[in-house]
Amino acid sequence: MYKSLIAALPVFLLLSCNQSQKNSATIKVSGEGKIRIKPDLINLTINIEFVQPRMADAVRLSQQTADTVVAILTQFAGQNDIKTSNISANKEYNYNRGRNVFLGYKAEQSIDFVLRDISRFTDLTAKLLTTKINAIARVEFGHSKSDSLLREADLLAYDDAQKSAHKLCERANVKLGSLVYLTNTGEAQADESMYSNMGNINTFNKSYGGAGFKVSPEVLVFSRKVISEYNISD
């Protein structure tokens, strides 16, 4: 009798495994959601840089210019949209004929700014170009509701994945069951979708005739991807 039980055990285990594999059959699909929208803000980084024989003079000129720039920026936004870095000062050298030549002391400072009315960008840059700034080092278009737009893109990606699962099951003549796994890929495509970079605006020659820069921002694309896994049955 024990021999019969031992002989029957592998058959039982095989049937159990086959039944378990049959019950755990799944289908995994991916989906993508995209939202296209016009930007409603611009992020700017303004660089200030001076090289002087005396460190105190370099720092003073940097601070004076920063104060002038902040006064201009407050005409276009509140204090919360303006972030000023601390002044850093170091010795400045120029490599010439095999040796470093001391030029003086360089004082640097940067100001980050958010312009929430794109129509005023030309007026803003026109006023900034009248100051002694070194460059507008970063000009990026973005959207004030980027987090909400990404969450909405997640939902669109989920819907897209579910539609793909239904179509595949219909073609394979199987039934789509419950959702067993869901994740987004964590890819927000920040460089290509959430922001559109206009590049740098160097201001060292000041040959703009008092005119500001005009912008024609492209449509932003907020893109998300999800992976879903569903049970399937015959």
Side-chain angles (χ1 to χ4, degrees):
M1 179 176 179
Y2 290 112
K3 291 183 178 180
S4 300
L5 288 175
I6 293 173
L9 184 60
V11 177
F12 173 77
L13 290 176
L14 180 61
L15 291 174
S16 298
C17 290
N18 289 338
Q19 185 65 29
S20 175
Q21 292 175 355
K22 183 176 180 181
N23 291 338
S24 63
T26 62
I27 182 173
K28 184 178 291 187
V29 293
S30 64
E32 185 175 13
K34 289 185 177 182
I35 297 176
R36 292 174 172 83
I37 192 169
K38 290 184 178 181
D40 65 355
L41 59 82
I42 301 179
N43 294 291
L44 306 175
T45 297
I46 302 162
N47 285 351
I48 300 168
E49 178 184 308
F50 287 96
V51 178
Q52 295 291 312
R54 297 175 64 246
M55 181 182 292
D57 293 335
V59 171
R60 176 178 52 81
L61 288 171
S62 178
Q63 188 59 61
Q64 288 177 351
T65 304
D67 292 342
T68 301
V69 170
V70 170
I72 292 174
L73 297 179
T74 53
Q75 301 174 23
F76 294 83
Q79 290 291 338
N80 292 335
D81 292 326
I82 305 172
K83 295 181 180 179
T84 304
S85 70
N86 294 326
I87 297 177
S88 63
N90 294 286
K91 293 180 178 180
E92 180 74 358
Y93 294 90
N94 183 30
Y95 189 77
N96 187 16
R97 296 181 180 180
R99 64 190 184 92
N100 287 323
V101 179
F102 178 67
L103 299 179
Y105 294 91
K106 181 170 70 173
E108 297 178 288
Q109 194 169 11
S110 64
I111 300 173
D112 293 328
F113 176 64
V114 181
L115 178 65
R116 301 185 184 277
D117 185 353
I118 294 180
S119 66
R120 304 185 69 190
F121 180 74
T122 302
D123 186 25
L124 171 62
T125 53
K127 291 186 177 182
L128 290 175
L129 291 174
T130 64
T131 69
K132 296 179 180 180
I133 63 173
N134 180 259
I136 301 176
R138 180 176 63 97
V139 181
E140 290 181 345
F141 300 98
H143 202 280
S144 57
K145 297 181 180 180
S146 58
D147 290 341
S148 297
L149 291 169
L150 284 173
R151 287 194 292 269
E152 188 175 346
D154 269 330
L155 297 178
L156 293 176
Y158 170 77
D159 292 341
D160 183 54
Q162 190 178 51
K163 289 179 182 178
S164 295
H166 277 292
K167 289 182 179 180
L168 288 172
C169 288
E170 184 179 351
R171 180 64 61 90
N173 196 27
V174 294
K175 295 179 181 179
L176 184 67
S178 60
L179 178 71
V180 295
Y181 177 80
L182 174 66
T183 182
N184 62 37
T185 61
E187 298 174 0
Q189 304 290 333
D191 292 337
E192 299 178 0
S193 60
M194 292 199 302
Y195 296 101
S196 176
N197 197 335
M198 178 179 168
N200 299 344
I201 301 174
N202 293 317
T203 62
F204 46 83
N205 57 15
K206 295 295 193 301
S207 59
Y208 302 102
F213 288 86
K214 294 183 179 180
V215 295
S216 299
E218 298 179 357
V219 172
L220 301 178
V221 180
F222 289 79
S223 177
R224 297 286 276 183
K225 294 181 179 179
V226 302
I227 297 174
S228 301
E229 187 174 358
Y230 297 87
N231 286 319
I232 57 174
S233 60
D234 295 336

